[in-house]
Amino acid sequence: MSALLFGSISTIADTSELQREAFNEAFAHHGLDWRWEAEEYRDLLRSNGGADRIAAYASERGQDVDAAAVHATKSELFQQKALAGGLSARPGVLDALRSAKQAGGKVALVTTTSPANVAAVLQATEGLEPADFDLLVDSEQVGEPKPDPASYEYALRTLGEQAGDAVAVEDNVGGVQAAQAAGVEVLAFPNTNTAGHDFGSARVVDQLATSDLPAGLQG
């Protein structure tokens, strides 16, 4: 193994509750009487894409909503929250990242979120900075959201790696499906609101340990 691919910002720092808070504040800002409580939000996270999630939710209620505008407000609020409060890396993330680098492996963040969300999380997470990653993939490089494998295929091409030489860390079902569709081995690392989801054949861990990584990434 020669590449460690973190599949979302919430595999780095658990931002899931900040995201939910930002959604609810964005709804209020746009005059929507919606509120996603934790249990409902956990169920909604079985699908990917925040703007698509908003659009589907509005459609179910027969409401005409500018999902893109609501999602843009949500993203701005999320970034403010992340930068204001600071974030902690999830258990084992820093050790796993450094182990992979010491072993001579490549490390990438492979998301389809916005560059601004990626920048906010990396700036706010203690002990991390963009230079720790050989590649940052976001919505500017790849337009197709997960579970489409395009983001992983792009990362592998750019890094010059084969799918069989990479391992992905994903926190949601769509992300796991995207990595597997690209032929990449997956460790499922659920966040606060995806714990309990069915990750299929992927191995599920509640923290990253160096020993969880393939031998080639254990520095």
Side-chain angles (χ1 to χ4, degrees):
M1 291 288 176
S2 55
L4 174 61
L5 310 176
F6 289 94
S8 77
I9 53 179
S10 277
T11 60
I12 301 284
D14 193 341
T15 63
S16 188
E17 275 297 282
L18 281 186
Q19 301 263 15
R20 184 172 71 87
E21 291 172 11
F23 272 116
N24 287 332
E25 290 182 22
F27 298 155
H29 179 86
H30 286 269
L32 297 169
D33 61 349
W34 303 351
R35 181 170 181 81
W36 289 349
E37 302 295 349
E39 184 174 354
E40 182 177 25
Y41 188 58
R42 291 184 192 117
D43 198 46
L44 290 167
L45 288 178
R46 297 180 191 278
S47 65
N48 285 70
D52 290 343
R53 197 175 298 127
I54 292 168
Y57 197 80
S59 178
E60 288 172 2
R61 282 151 186 75
Q63 292 178 260
D64 185 15
V65 171
D66 187 341
V70 177
H71 190 256
T73 300
K74 173 262 174 185
S75 294
E76 291 175 6
L77 291 166
F78 168 72
Q79 292 154 24
Q80 292 167 13
K81 288 174 179 294
L83 292 169
L87 300 171
S88 298
R90 295 186 65 188
V93 164
L94 297 180
D95 287 343
L97 188 154
R98 285 162 188 160
S99 172
K101 298 291 279 187
Q102 288 168 5
K106 297 173 184 175
V107 178
L109 180 58
V110 185
T111 82
T112 52
T113 192
S114 69
N117 282 348
V118 171
V121 169
L122 293 183
Q123 182 177 336
T125 303
E126 185 177 356
L128 271 181
E129 55 187 56
D132 291 322
F133 297 87
D134 297 288
L135 176 66
L136 299 173
V137 179
D138 56 48
S139 60
E140 286 196 347
Q141 285 89 30
V142 180
E144 297 85 355
K146 298 173 184 178
D148 191 290
S151 56
Y152 278 103
E153 292 168 348
Y154 174 86
L156 293 168
R157 285 197 308 271
T158 305
L159 292 171
E161 298 292 338
Q162 298 298 312
D165 294 327
V167 61
V169 179
E170 277 286 2
D171 70 331
N172 62 83
V173 172
V176 168
Q177 292 171 341
Q180 290 177 332
V184 177
E185 178 185 342
V186 188
L187 285 174
F189 188 26
N191 64 50
T192 298
N193 287 311
T194 58
H197 287 188
D198 183 359
F199 292 95
S201 61
R203 181 184 170 197
V204 180
V205 297
D206 58 11
Q207 64 177 14
L208 287 183
T210 302
S211 59
D212 291 322
L213 301 180
L217 294 174
Q218 294 181 24

